[in-house]
Amino acid sequence: MRIDKLLANMGYGTRKEVKSLLKGGSVHVNESPVKNGKTHVDPEEDLVTVAGEKVEYRQFIYLMMNKPGDLISATEDQHEWTVVDILQPEDKVFSPFPVGRLDKDTEGLLLLTNDGQLSHRLTSPKKGVGKTYVAEVAGEVTGDDADAFERGVTLDDGYVTRPAILHIIESGDVSHVELVITEGKFHQVKRMFEARGKKVTSLKRVKMGDLSLDEELDPGEYRELREDELEYLNNITSKDK
C-alpha cells in the first residue's frame, strides 16, 4: 500500500495534509524517514511512525449504533441526515456503511462496517440470521396473526414472506409484540401487519441473531463491537445454510 494512502486511511489528514507531513520529515518507515508518498509499505509488517507515534493499521471497522428515529440508513443524502453523518471523524475515515437498512422512523440496533463480505452474509436470507423487533401495533394482534406469520404473509406486491416468529406480549386495541424475521424487504414488518389489517405505530430492532443492542447506548450513540461480538457474527454467518 502507498504510504500516503495508508496515512490518509488512518486519519492523518487529507492527501494534501499527508503530503505536507511527508515533506516535513515526520514520517518514518522502519526508523528511516520517508518523504515520497508513492513509497509502498506493508502495513502488517513495516513499522510506520508519525512524529514518533506508531501508526496502528486497521483495515476494517465494526460499529454498533442505537439508531434514532430521525436518521436514514445511508452513507449520504442531499436532503436528509444519515447515520454516517453522526460518526466521529476518526470513524468516518474508514468509510463505513449500514449493514442492511432500517426505515427512517425505525429505531434500534444498526451495524456499520466497511467489511463488505460480512455485511453481505449478515443480510443474505440464505444465512437465515434472525432480526428481532419489538413493535407497537394499532389493533388487536391474535394467535391467528402469529399462525399467518409462521406460514408466510403475502405482501401488497404479491411477495410471500419467509416464515416469521410472532410473539404477542400484550394484545388489545394497542398491541405490543416481538417479531423475528430472516429477510429485509422494503418496509417489511409494517407491510406484514398491513396485510393483516393492522398498523405498526412504533418499531425498534433489538437483536441480530443473538447479538443484542447495548442497553447503555442512548439513541444516536454507538460503540465498536467487542471482539467476542465480532467473533459471534463471523461464526453464525460462516455456517452453510
Side-chain angles (χ1 to χ4, degrees):
M1 180 184 295
R2 283 174 48 146
I3 185 70
D4 56 359
K5 186 175 189 300
L6 169 66
L7 295 176
N9 286 355
M10 293 300 101
Y12 284 88
T14 63
R15 287 293 179 92
K16 185 176 180 180
E17 291 167 338
V18 166
K19 187 175 181 180
S20 296
L21 274 179
L22 289 161
K23 282 189 174 182
S26 60
V27 179
H28 288 68
V29 177
N30 299 325
E31 300 185 354
S32 297
V34 173
K35 296 188 176 183
N36 187 346
K38 295 181 181 180
T39 301
H40 278 73
V41 296
D42 182 343
E44 301 286 357
E45 299 292 337
D46 294 323
L47 172 63
V48 180
T49 60
V50 176
E53 174 186 308
K54 182 180 178 181
V55 176
E56 298 288 351
Y57 174 71
R58 301 175 55 190
Q59 183 177 5
F60 297 121
I61 190 169
Y62 305 93
L63 305 173
M64 173 193 291
M65 176 183 289
N66 184 357
K67 179 192 169 299
D70 58 356
L71 300 178
I72 64 172
S73 299
T75 55
E76 59 182 355
D77 189 90
Q78 293 184 346
H79 306 290
E80 304 271 9
W81 273 70
T82 76
V83 291
V84 171
D85 288 330
I86 65 172
L87 298 181
Q88 294 298 312
E90 60 266 28
D91 298 319
K92 275 187 183 180
V93 74
F94 288 92
S95 300
F97 50 84
V99 177
R101 171 176 56 192
L102 288 180
D103 300 337
K104 180 179 178 181
D105 58 353
T106 299
E107 302 178 350
L109 176 60
L110 182 67
L111 301 180
L112 297 100
T113 185
N114 57 349
D115 185 343
Q117 290 189 2
L118 178 60
S119 175
H120 174 73
R121 297 198 306 269
L122 282 170
T123 54
S124 172
K126 293 181 180 179
K127 293 297 182 181
V129 178
K131 285 80 173 178
T132 304
Y133 296 80
V134 291
E136 182 180 275
V137 181
E140 185 178 1
V141 180
T142 68
D144 287 342
D145 295 315
D147 291 341
F149 277 40
E150 188 173 1
R151 292 191 300 270
V153 177
T154 302
L155 302 182
D156 48 11
D157 59 0
Y159 177 80
V160 180
T161 65
R162 287 175 172 243
I165 301 172
L166 175 61
H167 173 61
I168 302 170
I169 300 171
E170 182 180 355
S171 182
D173 291 340
V174 176
S175 299
H176 294 87
V177 302
E178 182 180 86
L179 175 67
V180 183
I181 62 175
T182 58
E183 53 190 343
K185 299 295 181 182
F186 182 68
H187 292 319
Q188 180 168 335
V189 174
K190 297 173 184 176
R191 292 165 67 200
M192 289 175 76
F193 278 102
E194 286 172 0
R196 299 292 300 172
K198 299 171 179 67
K199 181 177 177 61
V200 173
T201 54
S202 73
L203 186 63
K204 181 178 183 178
R205 183 160 67 190
V206 294
K207 282 186 179 182
M208 292 186 73
D210 288 329
L211 176 66
S212 297
L213 174 66
D214 189 335
E215 294 182 355
E216 294 187 2
L217 292 176
D218 290 329
E221 291 185 339
Y222 69 93
R223 65 165 172 80
E224 291 202 44
L225 287 183
R226 299 192 306 266
E227 188 173 332
D228 62 306
E229 293 172 330
L230 179 57
E231 183 179 3
Y232 165 73
L233 293 178
N234 279 313
N235 284 340
I236 63 171
T237 59
S238 64
K239 297 175 183 176
D240 292 332
K241 292 289 182 178

